[in-house]
Amino acid sequence: MRNLIFANFSRLWKSKIFWVLETFCFAFGVFSYTLVAINTRNLGHGWLEYNAHTYFYLPIMFLPAVIAVFACFFIGTDYSDGTIRNKLIAGHSKSGIYLSYLLTTYMAVIFFVGAYLFAVITVGLPLVGSSVITYVQLHWRVFNILLILIEYVSLFVLLAMLDSNKARNVVVSLLVAFLIILIGMMFYSQYMQPEFVNRVVPLPDGGFELKKGEANSKYLSGTIRTVFEWVTLIIPHGSALMSLDKRLAFDWRNPIIAVVLTIMTIVSGIQLLNKKDIK
């Protein structure tokens, strides 16, 4: 499999879609931290202290779509060029080919993340200072995100390997990516509804009264809350949002679920590829 990995990496550096997405991630980082600098200048250092964490982890919001596009084009090109068929003729196993694409795609994703972080260093630090990093909570959150990225990679490599039609695969994979993002956000936002809220009530004399500790009608409780919690943990984007929420402590279920789902996806992908007739 080493030769397969070397061949993939050799093609990676020549891949146009890789450099397009790498440029996009860097440009998005430049844009984001230019906004950070402007907002910090206008709203004060307190704004930065509250928002630095969110901006640092912002790529997780669009990386599923980036991974989907890269996997579709990178693997789909090998299908259309007959490269995968030639690898099989040369004696490589389908499982070896599958795992080599998995590793190559994950390393490409690490480079995409690195491009965004390079923007943090080259734009964020000079414009704002070290506060763009010191206010960020790292440690186990980075570990969780890396596992969730593997989970995304395993899913979109599976989709790309099982459908040799690149155009159709791009549409399907992007649809899956956006559904994961939307469903994850929906379940996370519902699950994180507070039990009590403050409410402004208008008075007859035209004034307003602030009522504190009002029961929140959107708060989930009982069995439905448990269901929403587990669905949020299982959906990759929901799990990512829970991992990045500064109000939440480390939850051992996040990394375990990510690892289990990744293994299940990889094993299923290899089994399905072994049954696929590659012409």
Side-chain angles (χ1 to χ4, degrees), residues 192-200 210-219:
M192 292 303 296
Q193 285 287 337
E195 187 173 1
F196 301 100
V197 295
N198 298 330
R199 189 162 59 95
V200 177
L210 177 63
K211 288 191 174 182
K212 298 183 178 180
E214 291 281 303
N216 184 5
S217 60
K218 296 182 179 179
Y219 178 76

Side-chain angles (χ1 to χ4, degrees), residues 112-127:
F112 297 149
V113 174
Y116 183 87
L117 295 179
F118 186 63
V120 176
I121 295 171
T122 57
V123 177
L125 287 177
L127 292 181

Side-chain angles (χ1 to χ4, degrees), residues 133-273:
I133 296 177
T134 54
Y135 289 140
V136 176
Q137 296 182 9
L138 300 171
H139 309 300
W140 59 267
R141 300 180 194 276
V142 173
F143 174 70
N144 277 6
I145 292 303
L146 290 175
L147 290 179
I148 291 169
L149 289 178
I150 298 177
E151 191 178 356
Y152 276 126
V153 167
S154 65
L155 172 61
F156 292 116
V157 167
L158 181 149
L159 294 176
M161 289 298 296
L162 296 184
D163 190 351
S164 55
N165 187 309
K166 184 163 54 177
R168 180 175 58 211
N169 202 3
V170 169
V171 174
V172 172
S173 294
L174 280 177
L175 179 61
V176 170
F178 288 128
L179 282 176
I180 288 175
I181 293 172
L182 292 175
I183 294 173
M185 291 177 66
M186 182 187 72
F187 275 87
Y188 166 79
S189 62
Q190 288 295 318
Y191 173 71
M192 292 303 296
Q193 285 287 337
E195 187 173 1
F196 301 100
V197 295
N198 298 330
R199 189 162 59 95
V200 177
V201 179
L203 299 176
D205 61 1
F208 294 93
E209 178 185 1
L210 177 63
K211 288 191 174 182
K212 298 183 178 180
E214 291 281 303
N216 184 5
S217 60
K218 296 182 179 179
Y219 178 76
L220 303 176
S221 60
T223 303
I224 188 67
R225 182 170 183 81
T226 303
V227 171
F228 266 71
E229 180 183 18
W230 278 100
V231 173
T232 305
L233 287 166
I234 292 171
I235 300 295
H237 196 71
S239 180
L241 292 174
M242 291 184 75
S243 295
L244 300 181
D245 195 319
K246 293 189 290 184
R247 298 167 293 178
L248 301 179
F250 174 73
D251 187 337
W252 58 268
R253 293 174 297 177
N254 273 298
I256 290 179
I257 290 174
V259 170
V260 170
L261 291 179
T262 298
I263 293 174
M264 290 174 59
T265 305
I266 294 173
V267 171
S268 300
I270 291 175
Q271 290 178 344
L272 291 171
L273 184 64

Side-chain angles (χ1 to χ4, degrees), residues 16-87:
K16 292 181 180 179
I17 191 63
F18 170 75
W19 289 111
V20 167
L21 294 174
E22 187 82 352
T23 303
F24 168 77
C25 291
F26 175 74
F28 189 87
V30 171
F31 173 75
S32 298
Y33 276 86
T34 301
L35 286 181
V36 169
I38 294 172
N39 287 333
T40 302
R41 187 178 300 112
N42 294 335
L43 302 176
H45 208 72
W47 179 91
L48 177 63
E49 184 175 359
Y50 183 79
N51 290 282
H53 180 85
T54 300
Y55 275 88
F56 185 83
Y57 290 108
L58 202 55
I60 198 63
M61 299 302 294
F62 62 80
L63 272 176
V66 170
I67 298 170
V69 170
F70 174 79
C72 290
F73 277 92
F74 190 79
I75 297 174
T77 299
D78 272 6
Y79 264 122
S80 59
D81 291 347
T83 304
I84 294 180
R85 183 182 66 252
N86 293 338
K87 289 177 179 179

